[in-house]
Amino acid sequence: MQNIAEFRIIGRVGKTIEHDKVTKVNVAANYNRQENGEWVTDTHWNEVTLFGKLIERAAKAQKGDLVHITGRVRQNSYDTTEGRRYTVELIADGFAVLAKGSEDRD
């Protein structure tokens, strides 16, 4: 059996950063929690890396659109003068626009 680390995000597109062969999309996901007996919503931003044909799909998405992204989690480490640094990347293997954002969003 293969061991896997996967993710699924349903959230709203923030900014999209296009590089040569890679696009990074920031997606906001909301989580509810109780604080002092009241429900509050926390927004968490997730940066997702896209390659290949997924870049074309992401190009059609605009800020505020509701998207569904699936993929795999990749952990990396590298050395700096301050010591070893660890990163976690979200690499997309699926990208779909679920709903367009409202036209009056900034």
Side-chain angles (χ1 to χ4, degrees), residues 53-101:
K53 294 191 182 226
L54 293 182
I55 292 173
E56 296 170 19
R57 288 188 196 168
K60 297 175 185 173
Q62 298 177 348
K63 183 177 181 181
D65 288 355
L66 184 66
V67 295
H68 178 225
I69 306 173
T70 58
R72 61 189 169 88
V73 178
R74 180 170 69 185
Q75 295 179 333
N76 292 313
S77 65
Y78 59 94
D79 293 318
T80 67
T81 56
E82 292 85 28
R84 190 172 248 343
R85 300 283 182 180
Y86 298 90
T87 63
V88 175
E89 289 183 276
L90 302 176
I91 310 296
D93 60 21
F95 185 99
V97 176
L98 300 177
K100 299 303 273 179

Side-chain angles (χ1 to χ4, degrees), residues 25-39:
V25 177
N26 287 314
V27 180
N30 297 325
Y31 300 92
N32 295 322
R33 62 179 174 82
Q34 273 195 326
E35 184 176 295
N36 299 323
E38 299 287 325
W39 284 100

